[in-house]
Coordinates of all heavy atoms in Angstrom, one line a residue:
M83 N 102.5 22.7 46.0 CA 101.5 22.7 44.9 C 101.1 21.3 44.6 O 102.0 20.5 44.4 CB 102.1 23.5 43.7 CG 101.1 23.5 42.6 SD 101.5 24.7 41.4 CE 102.3 23.8 40.2
H84 N 99.9 21.1 44.5 CA 99.4 19.7 44.2 C 98.9 19.6 42.8 O 98.1 20.3 42.3 CB 98.2 19.4 45.2 CG 97.7 18.0 45.1 ND1 98.5 17.0 45.5 CD2 96.5 17.5 44.6 CE1 97.8 15.8 45.3 NE2 96.6 16.2 44.8
L85 N 99.6 18.7 42.0 CA 99.2 18.6 40.6 C 98.2 17.5 40.4 O 98.3 16.5 41.2 CB 100.5 18.3 39.8 CG 101.6 19.3 39.9 CD1 102.8 18.8 39.1 CD2 101.1 20.6 39.2
T86 N 97.4 17.6 39.5 CA 96.4 16.5 39.2 C 96.7 15.8 37.9 O 97.2 16.4 37.0 CB 95.0 17.1 39.1 OG1 94.9 18.1 38.1 CG2 94.5 17.7 40.5
A87 N 96.5 14.6 37.9 CA 96.7 13.7 36.7 C 95.6 13.9 35.7 O 94.5 14.3 36.1 CB 97.0 12.3 37.1
P88 N 95.8 13.5 34.5 CA 94.7 13.5 33.5 C 93.6 12.6 34.0 O 93.8 11.6 34.7 CB 95.4 13.0 32.3 CG 96.8 13.2 32.4 CD 97.1 13.1 33.9
A89 N 92.4 13.0 33.5 CA 91.2 12.2 33.9 C 91.3 10.7 33.5 O 91.8 10.4 32.4 CB 89.9 12.8 33.3
G90 N 90.8 9.8 34.3 CA 90.8 8.4 34.0 C 92.1 7.7 34.4 O 92.2 6.5 34.2
T91 N 93.1 8.3 35.0 CA 94.3 7.6 35.4 C 94.2 7.0 36.8 O 94.9 6.2 37.1 CB 95.5 8.6 35.4 OG1 95.3 9.6 36.3 CG2 95.8 9.1 34.0
G92 N 93.2 7.5 37.6 CA 93.1 7.0 38.9 C 94.1 7.5 39.9 O 94.1 7.1 41.1
R93 N 94.9 8.4 39.6 CA 95.9 9.0 40.5 C 95.5 10.5 40.8 O 95.1 11.2 39.9 CB 97.3 8.9 39.9 CG 97.7 7.5 39.6 CD 99.1 7.4 39.1 NE 100.0 8.0 40.0 CZ 101.3 8.2 39.7 NH1 101.7 7.9 38.5 NH2 102.1 8.7 40.6
T94 N 95.8 10.9 42.0 CA 95.4 12.3 42.3 C 96.6 13.2 42.2 O 96.5 14.4 42.3 CB 94.9 12.3 43.8 OG1 95.9 11.8 44.7 CG2 93.6 11.6 43.9
G95 N 97.8 12.7 42.1 CA 99.0 13.6 42.0 C 100.1 12.9 41.2 O 100.2 11.6 41.2
T96 N 101.0 13.6 40.7 CA 102.1 13.0 39.9 C 103.4 13.1 40.7 O 104.4 12.5 40.3 CB 102.3 13.7 38.5 OG1 102.5 15.1 38.8 CG2 101.1 13.5 37.7
R97 N 103.5 14.0 41.7 CA 104.8 14.2 42.5 C 104.6 13.4 43.8 O 103.6 13.4 44.4 CB 105.0 15.6 42.8 CG 105.2 16.5 41.5 CD 105.2 17.9 41.8 NE 106.4 18.2 42.7 CZ 106.5 19.3 43.3 NH1 105.6 20.3 43.2 NH2 107.6 19.6 44.0
P98 N 105.7 12.7 44.2 CA 105.7 12.0 45.5 C 105.6 13.1 46.6 O 106.1 14.2 46.5 CB 107.1 11.3 45.6 CG 107.7 11.5 44.3 CD 107.0 12.5 43.5
R99 N 104.9 12.7 47.6 CA 104.6 13.7 48.7 C 105.8 13.8 49.6 O 106.3 12.8 50.1 CB 103.4 13.3 49.5 CG 102.2 13.3 48.6 CD 100.9 13.0 49.4 NE 99.8 13.0 48.5 CZ 98.6 12.8 48.9 NH1 98.3 12.6 50.1 NH2 97.6 12.9 48.0
T100 N 106.3 15.0 49.9 CA 107.4 15.1 50.7 C 107.1 14.8 52.2 O 108.0 14.4 52.9 CB 108.0 16.6 50.7 OG1 107.0 17.5 51.0 CG2 108.5 16.9 49.3
R101 N 105.9 14.9 52.6 CA 105.5 14.5 53.9 C 105.8 13.0 54.2 O 106.3 12.7 55.2 CB 104.0 14.9 54.2 CG 103.6 14.6 55.6 CD 102.2 15.1 55.8 NE 101.8 14.7 57.2 CZ 100.6 14.8 57.7 NH1 99.7 15.4 57.0 NH2 100.4 14.5 58.9
D102 N 105.4 12.2 53.2 CA 105.7 10.8 53.3 C 107.2 10.5 53.4 O 107.7 9.7 54.1 CB 105.1 10.0 52.1 CG 103.6 10.0 52.1 OD1 103.0 10.2 53.2 OD2 103.0 9.7 51.1
A103 N 108.0 11.3 52.6 CA 109.4 11.1 52.6 C 110.0 11.6 53.9 O 110.9 10.9 54.4 CB 110.0 11.9 51.4
D104 N 109.5 12.6 54.5 CA 109.9 13.1 55.8 C 109.7 12.0 56.8 O 110.5 11.7 57.7 CB 109.3 14.4 56.2 CG 109.7 15.5 55.3 OD1 110.7 15.4 54.6 OD2 109.0 16.6 55.4
G105 N 108.5 11.4 56.8 CA 108.2 10.3 57.7 C 109.1 9.1 57.5 O 109.5 8.5 58.5
M106 N 109.4 8.8 56.3 CA 110.4 7.7 56.0 C 111.8 8.0 56.6 O 112.4 7.1 57.1 CB 110.5 7.4 54.5 CG 109.3 6.7 53.9 SD 109.7 6.4 52.2 CE 108.1 6.4 51.5
A107 N 112.2 9.3 56.5 CA 113.5 9.7 57.0 C 113.5 9.5 58.5 O 114.5 9.0 59.1 CB 113.8 11.1 56.6
V108 N 112.5 9.9 59.2 CA 112.4 9.8 60.7 C 112.3 8.3 61.1 O 113.0 7.9 62.0 CB 111.2 10.6 61.2 CG1 111.0 10.3 62.7 CG2 111.4 12.1 61.0
A109 N 111.5 7.5 60.4 CA 111.4 6.1 60.7 C 112.7 5.4 60.5 O 113.1 4.5 61.3 CB 110.3 5.5 59.8
S110 N 113.5 5.7 59.4 CA 114.8 5.1 59.2 C 115.8 5.4 60.3 O 116.5 4.5 60.8 CB 115.4 5.5 57.8 OG 115.8 6.8 57.8
F111 N 115.7 6.6 60.8 CA 116.6 7.0 61.9 C 116.3 6.3 63.2 O 117.1 5.7 63.8 CB 116.5 8.5 62.1 CG 117.2 9.1 63.3 CD1 118.6 9.1 63.3 CD2 116.6 9.5 64.4 CE1 119.3 9.6 64.4 CE2 117.3 9.9 65.5 CZ 118.7 10.0 65.5
I112 N 115.0 6.2 63.5 CA 114.5 5.5 64.7 C 114.8 4.0 64.6 O 115.4 3.4 65.5 CB 113.0 5.7 65.0 CG1 112.9 7.2 65.4 CG2 112.5 4.8 66.1 CD1 111.4 7.6 65.4
L113 N 114.5 3.4 63.5 CA 114.8 1.9 63.3 C 116.3 1.6 63.3 O 116.7 0.6 63.8 CB 114.1 1.4 62.0 CG 112.6 1.4 62.0 CD1 112.1 0.9 60.6 CD2 112.1 0.5 63.1
G114 N 117.1 2.6 62.8 CA 118.5 2.4 62.8 C 119.1 2.4 64.2 O 119.9 1.6 64.6
L115 N 118.5 3.3 65.0 CA 118.9 3.4 66.4 C 118.5 2.1 67.2 O 119.3 1.5 67.9 CB 118.3 4.6 67.1 CG 119.0 5.9 66.9 CD1 118.2 7.0 67.6 CD2 120.4 5.9 67.5
L116 N 117.3 1.7 67.0 CA 116.8 0.5 67.7 C 117.6 -0.8 67.2 O 117.8 -1.7 68.0 CB 115.3 0.3 67.4 CG 114.3 1.2 68.1 CD1 112.9 0.9 67.6 CD2 114.4 0.9 69.6
G117 N 118.0 -0.8 65.9 CA 118.7 -1.9 65.4 C 120.0 -2.1 66.0 O 120.6 -3.2 66.0
L118 N 120.6 -1.1 66.6 CA 121.9 -1.2 67.3 C 121.8 -2.1 68.5 O 122.7 -2.7 69.0 CB 122.5 0.1 67.6 CG 123.0 1.0 66.5 CD1 123.4 2.3 66.9 CD2 124.2 0.3 65.8
L119 N 120.6 -2.2 69.1 CA 120.3 -2.9 70.3 C 119.7 -4.3 70.1 O 120.0 -5.3 70.7 CB 119.5 -2.1 71.3 CG 120.1 -0.7 71.7 CD1 119.1 0.0 72.5 CD2 121.3 -1.0 72.4
V120 N 118.6 -4.3 69.2 CA 117.9 -5.5 69.0 C 117.5 -5.7 67.5 O 117.4 -4.7 66.8 CB 116.5 -5.5 69.8 CG1 116.8 -5.5 71.3 CG2 115.7 -4.3 69.5
L121 N 117.4 -6.9 67.1 CA 116.9 -7.3 65.8 C 117.7 -6.5 64.6 O 117.0 -6.1 63.7 CB 115.4 -7.0 65.6 CG 114.5 -7.8 66.6 CD1 113.1 -7.4 66.4 CD2 114.6 -9.3 66.2
N122 N 119.0 -6.4 64.8 CA 119.7 -5.6 63.8 C 119.7 -6.3 62.4 O 119.8 -5.6 61.4 CB 121.1 -5.3 64.2 CG 121.8 -6.5 64.8 OD1 121.3 -7.6 64.8 ND2 123.0 -6.3 65.2
L123 N 119.5 -7.6 62.3 CA 119.4 -8.3 61.1 C 118.2 -7.8 60.3 O 118.3 -7.8 59.0 CB 119.4 -9.8 61.3 CG 119.3 -10.7 60.0 CD1 120.5 -10.5 59.2 CD2 119.1 -12.1 60.4
F124 N 117.1 -7.5 60.9 CA 115.9 -7.1 60.3 C 115.8 -5.5 60.2 O 115.4 -5.0 59.2 CB 114.7 -7.6 61.0 CG 114.6 -9.1 61.0 CD1 114.9 -9.8 62.2 CD2 114.4 -9.8 59.8 CE1 114.9 -11.2 62.2 CE2 114.4 -11.2 59.8 CZ 114.6 -11.9 61.0
L125 N 116.1 -4.9 61.3 CA 115.9 -3.4 61.3 C 116.9 -2.6 60.5 O 116.7 -1.6 60.0 CB 115.9 -2.9 62.8 CG 114.8 -3.4 63.7 CD1 114.9 -2.9 65.1 CD2 113.4 -3.1 63.1
G126 N 118.2 -3.2 60.4 CA 119.2 -2.5 59.6 C 118.8 -2.4 58.2 O 118.8 -1.3 57.6
P127 N 118.5 -3.5 57.5 CA 118.1 -3.3 56.1 C 116.8 -2.5 55.9 O 116.7 -1.8 54.9 CB 117.8 -4.8 55.6 CG 118.7 -5.6 56.5 CD 118.6 -4.9 57.9
I128 N 115.9 -2.6 56.8 CA 114.7 -1.7 56.7 C 115.0 -0.3 56.8 O 114.5 0.6 56.0 CB 113.6 -2.1 57.8 CG1 113.1 -3.5 57.5 CG2 112.5 -1.1 57.8 CD1 112.2 -4.1 58.6
A129 N 115.9 0.1 57.7 CA 116.4 1.5 57.9 C 117.1 1.9 56.6 O 116.9 3.1 56.2 CB 117.3 1.6 59.1
I130 N 117.9 1.1 56.0 CA 118.6 1.4 54.8 C 117.6 1.7 53.6 O 117.7 2.7 52.9 CB 119.6 0.3 54.4 CG1 120.7 0.3 55.4 CG2 120.1 0.5 53.0 CD1 121.6 -1.0 55.3
V131 N 116.6 0.8 53.5 CA 115.6 1.0 52.4 C 114.8 2.2 52.6 O 114.5 3.0 51.7 CB 114.7 -0.3 52.3 CG1 113.5 0.0 51.4 CG2 115.5 -1.5 51.8
L132 N 114.3 2.5 53.8 CA 113.5 3.7 54.1 C 114.3 5.0 53.9 O 113.8 5.9 53.3 CB 113.0 3.7 55.5 CG 111.8 2.7 55.8 CD1 111.5 2.7 57.3 CD2 110.6 3.1 55.0
A133 N 115.6 5.0 54.3 CA 116.4 6.2 54.1 C 116.7 6.4 52.6 O 116.6 7.5 52.1 CB 117.8 6.0 54.8
A134 N 116.9 5.3 51.9 CA 117.1 5.5 50.4 C 115.9 6.0 49.7 O 115.9 6.9 48.9 CB 117.6 4.2 49.8
A135 N 114.7 5.5 50.1 CA 113.5 5.9 49.5 C 113.2 7.4 49.9 O 112.7 8.2 49.0 CB 112.3 5.1 50.0
A136 N 113.5 7.8 51.1 CA 113.3 9.2 51.5 C 114.2 10.1 50.8 O 113.7 11.2 50.3 CB 113.5 9.3 53.0
L137 N 115.4 9.7 50.6 CA 116.3 10.6 49.8 C 115.9 10.6 48.4 O 116.0 11.7 47.7 CB 117.8 10.0 49.9 CG 118.4 10.2 51.3 CD1 119.7 9.4 51.4 CD2 118.7 11.7 51.6
W138 N 115.5 9.5 47.8 CA 115.0 9.5 46.4 C 113.8 10.4 46.2 O 113.7 11.0 45.2 CB 114.7 8.1 46.0 CG 114.3 8.0 44.6 CD1 115.1 8.1 43.5 CD2 113.0 7.7 44.1 NE1 114.3 7.9 42.3 CE2 113.0 7.7 42.7 CE3 111.8 7.5 44.7 CZ2 111.9 7.5 41.9 CZ3 110.6 7.3 43.9 CH2 110.7 7.3 42.5
R139 N 112.9 10.4 47.2 CA 111.7 11.3 47.1 C 111.9 12.7 47.4 O 111.0 13.5 47.3 CB 110.6 10.7 48.0 CG 110.0 9.4 47.5 CD 108.9 9.0 48.3 NE 108.3 7.8 47.8 CZ 107.1 7.4 48.2 NH1 106.4 8.0 49.1 NH2 106.6 6.3 47.7
G140 N 113.1 13.1 47.8 CA 113.4 14.5 48.1 C 112.9 15.0 49.4 O 112.3 16.0 49.5
T141 N 113.3 14.3 50.5 CA 112.8 14.7 51.8 C 113.5 16.0 52.2 O 114.6 16.3 51.8 CB 113.2 13.6 52.9 OG1 112.7 14.0 54.1 CG2 114.7 13.3 52.9
A142 N 112.7 16.7 53.1 CA 113.3 17.9 53.6 C 114.2 17.6 54.8 O 114.9 18.5 55.3 CB 112.1 18.8 54.1
R143 N 114.1 16.4 55.3 CA 114.9 16.0 56.5 C 116.1 15.1 56.0 O 116.3 14.0 56.4 CB 114.1 15.2 57.5 CG 113.0 16.0 58.1 CD 112.1 15.2 58.9 NE 111.0 16.0 59.4 CZ 110.7 16.3 60.6 NH1 111.5 15.9 61.6 NH2 109.7 17.0 61.0
R144 N 116.9 15.7 55.1 CA 118.0 15.0 54.5 C 119.0 14.5 55.5 O 119.5 13.4 55.3 CB 118.6 15.9 53.4 CG 119.6 15.2 52.6 CD 120.0 16.1 51.4 NE 121.1 15.6 50.6 CZ 120.9 14.6 49.8 NH1 119.7 14.1 49.6 NH2 121.9 14.1 49.1
G145 N 119.3 15.3 56.5 CA 120.3 14.8 57.5 C 119.8 13.6 58.3 O 120.6 12.7 58.5
R146 N 118.5 13.6 58.6 CA 118.0 12.5 59.3 C 118.0 11.2 58.5 O 118.2 10.1 59.0 CB 116.6 12.8 59.8 CG 116.2 11.9 61.0 CD 115.2 12.5 61.8 NE 115.7 13.7 62.6 CZ 114.9 14.5 63.3 NH1 113.6 14.4 63.2 NH2 115.5 15.5 63.9
A147 N 117.7 11.4 57.2 CA 117.7 10.2 56.3 C 119.1 9.7 56.1 O 119.3 8.5 56.1 CB 117.1 10.6 54.9
C148 N 120.1 10.6 56.1 CA 121.5 10.1 56.0 C 121.9 9.4 57.2 O 122.7 8.4 57.2 CB 122.4 11.3 55.7 SG 122.2 12.0 54.0
L149 N 121.5 9.9 58.4 CA 121.8 9.3 59.7 C 121.1 7.9 59.7 O 121.7 6.9 60.2 CB 121.4 10.1 60.8 CG 122.3 11.3 61.2 CD1 121.6 12.1 62.3 CD2 123.6 10.8 61.7
G150 N 119.9 7.8 59.2 CA 119.2 6.5 59.2 C 119.9 5.5 58.3 O 120.1 4.3 58.6
L151 N 120.4 6.0 57.2 CA 121.2 5.2 56.3 C 122.5 4.7 56.9 O 122.8 3.5 56.9 CB 121.5 5.9 55.0 CG 122.3 5.2 53.9 CD1 121.4 4.1 53.3 CD2 122.6 6.2 52.8
A152 N 123.2 5.6 57.6 CA 124.5 5.2 58.3 C 124.2 4.3 59.4 O 124.9 3.3 59.6 CB 125.1 6.5 58.8
L153 N 123.1 4.5 60.2 CA 122.8 3.6 61.3 C 122.4 2.2 60.8 O 122.7 1.2 61.5 CB 121.7 4.2 62.2 CG 122.2 5.4 63.1 CD1 121.0 6.1 63.7 CD2 123.1 4.9 64.1
G154 N 121.7 2.2 59.7 CA 121.3 0.9 59.1 C 122.5 0.1 58.7 O 122.6 -1.1 59.0
V155 N 123.5 0.7 58.1 CA 124.7 0.1 57.8 C 125.5 -0.3 59.0 O 126.0 -1.4 59.1 CB 125.6 1.0 56.9 CG1 127.0 0.4 56.7 CG2 124.9 1.2 55.5
A156 N 125.5 0.5 60.0 CA 126.2 0.2 61.3 C 125.5 -1.0 62.0 O 126.2 -1.8 62.6 CB 126.1 1.4 62.2
D157 N 124.2 -1.1 61.9 CA 123.5 -2.3 62.4 C 124.1 -3.6 61.9 O 124.4 -4.5 62.6 CB 122.0 -2.3 62.1 CG 121.3 -1.1 62.8 OD1 121.9 -0.5 63.8 OD2 120.1 -0.9 62.4
L158 N 124.3 -3.6 60.6 CA 124.8 -4.8 59.9 C 126.3 -5.0 60.3 O 126.7 -6.2 60.5 CB 124.6 -4.7 58.4 CG 123.1 -4.6 58.0 CD1 123.1 -4.5 56.5 CD2 122.4 -5.8 58.5
V159 N 127.0 -3.9 60.4 CA 128.5 -4.1 60.8 C 128.6 -4.6 62.2 O 129.4 -5.5 62.5 CB 129.2 -2.7 60.7 CG1 130.5 -2.7 61.3 CG2 129.3 -2.3 59.2
V160 N 127.7 -4.1 63.1 CA 127.7 -4.6 64.5 C 127.3 -6.1 64.5 O 127.9 -6.9 65.3 CB 126.7 -3.8 65.4 CG1 126.4 -4.5 66.7 CG2 127.3 -2.4 65.6
L161 N 126.4 -6.5 63.7 CA 126.0 -7.9 63.7 C 127.2 -8.8 63.2 O 127.5 -9.8 63.8 CB 124.8 -8.1 62.7 CG 124.4 -9.5 62.5 CD1 123.8 -10.1 63.7 CD2 123.4 -9.6 61.4
V162 N 127.8 -8.4 62.1 CA 129.0 -9.1 61.6 C 130.1 -9.2 62.7 O 130.7 -10.2 62.9 CB 129.4 -8.6 60.3 CG1 130.8 -9.2 59.9 CG2 128.4 -8.8 59.2
A163 N 130.4 -8.0 63.3 CA 131.5 -8.0 64.3 C 131.1 -8.9 65.5 O 132.0 -9.6 66.0 CB 131.7 -6.6 64.7
S164 N 129.9 -8.8 65.9 CA 129.5 -9.7 67.1 C 129.5 -11.1 66.7 O 129.9 -11.9 67.6 CB 128.1 -9.3 67.5 OG 128.0 -7.9 67.9
M165 N 129.1 -11.5 65.5 CA 129.2 -12.9 65.1 C 130.7 -13.4 65.0 O 130.9 -14.5 65.4 CB 128.5 -13.1 63.8 CG 127.0 -13.0 63.9 SD 126.0 -13.2 62.3 CE 127.2 -13.3 61.0
E166 N 131.5 -12.5 64.6 CA 133.0 -12.9 64.5 C 133.6 -13.1 65.9 O 134.3 -14.0 66.2 CB 133.8 -11.8 63.8 CG 133.5 -11.8 62.3 CD 133.9 -13.1 61.6 OE1 135.0 -13.6 62.0 OE2 133.2 -13.6 60.7
V167 N 133.2 -12.2 66.8 CA 133.8 -12.3 68.2 C 133.2 -13.5 68.9 O 133.9 -14.2 69.6 CB 133.4 -11.0 69.0 CG1 133.7 -11.2 70.5 CG2 134.2 -9.8 68.4
A168 N 131.9 -13.8 68.8 CA 131.3 -14.9 69.4 C 131.5 -16.2 68.7 O 131.4 -17.3 69.4 CB 129.8 -14.6 69.6
G169 N 131.9 -16.2 67.5 CA 132.1 -17.4 66.7 C 130.8 -18.2 66.4 O 130.9 -19.4 66.2
T170 N 129.7 -17.5 66.4 CA 128.4 -18.1 66.1 C 127.7 -17.3 65.0 O 128.2 -16.3 64.5 CB 127.5 -18.1 67.3 OG1 127.2 -16.8 67.7 CG2 128.2 -18.8 68.5
V171 N 126.6 -17.8 64.6 CA 125.8 -17.1 63.5 C 124.7 -16.2 64.2 O 123.9 -15.7 63.5 CB 125.1 -18.1 62.6 CG1 126.1 -18.8 61.7 CG2 124.2 -19.1 63.3
S172 N 124.8 -16.0 65.5 CA 123.9 -15.1 66.2 C 124.6 -14.5 67.3 O 125.7 -14.9 67.7 CB 122.6 -15.8 66.7 OG 123.0 -16.8 67.7
W173 N 124.0 -13.5 68.0 CA 124.7 -12.9 69.1 C 123.6 -12.5 70.1 O 122.4 -12.4 69.8 CB 125.5 -11.7 68.7 CG 124.7 -10.5 68.3 CD1 124.1 -10.3 67.0 CD2 124.4 -9.3 69.0 NE1 123.5 -9.1 67.0 CE2 123.6 -8.5 68.2 CE3 124.6 -9.0 70.3 CZ2 123.1 -7.3 68.7 CZ3 124.2 -7.8 70.8 CH2 123.4 -6.9 70.0
S174 N 124.0 -12.2 71.3 CA 123.2 -11.7 72.4 C 124.0 -10.9 73.4 O 125.2 -11.1 73.4 CB 122.5 -12.9 73.1 OG 123.4 -13.7 73.8
L175 N 123.3 -10.0 74.1 CA 124.0 -9.2 75.1 C 124.4 -9.9 76.3 O 123.8 -10.7 76.9 CB 123.2 -8.0 75.4 CG 122.9 -7.0 74.3 CD1 122.0 -5.9 74.7 CD2 124.2 -6.4 73.8

């Protein structure tokens, strides 16, 4: 159901759209997976933020958002572990 805001507010709805939240959940999952291989310093935090936003907005894809959140955290853990093993502030395959 689409709710309308009072006249003059400039907004067309008062509830966040679940379709946007579903897209965020899927994007967080994909970025979390990609972050395990490349650019985990950037993709990990983005995956975490997108997953948190999707969960906050009430996504229908709750499992995918939770996986995106876990993968985002895993990206950062992989980065820290790789830096410790290599003894540098960066890593490469």
Side-chain angles (χ1 to χ4, degrees):
M83 179 162 98
H84 186 66
L85 300 175
T86 56
T91 61
R93 298 180 63 188
T94 58
T96 57
R97 297 173 64 194
R99 296 184 181 181
T100 57
R101 183 175 176 184
D102 291 341
D104 292 347
M106 285 185 209
V108 172
S110 71
F111 176 71
I112 292 170
L113 291 177
L115 280 176
L116 286 174
L118 289 174
L119 301 174
V120 294
L121 297 173
N122 48 2
L123 179 62
F124 299 109
L125 296 180
I128 293 171
I130 292 169
V131 169
L132 284 175
L137 289 170
W138 181 74
R139 288 186 176 194
T141 181
R143 298 175 186 243
R144 188 166 175 78
R146 201 157 288 167
C148 290
L149 282 173
L151 184 65
L153 286 169
V155 170
D157 292 346
L158 299 178
V159 169
V160 166
L161 175 67
V162 169
S164 299
M165 288 181 350
E166 288 296 320
V167 168
T170 64
V171 293
S172 64
W173 71 279
S174 62
L175 293 176

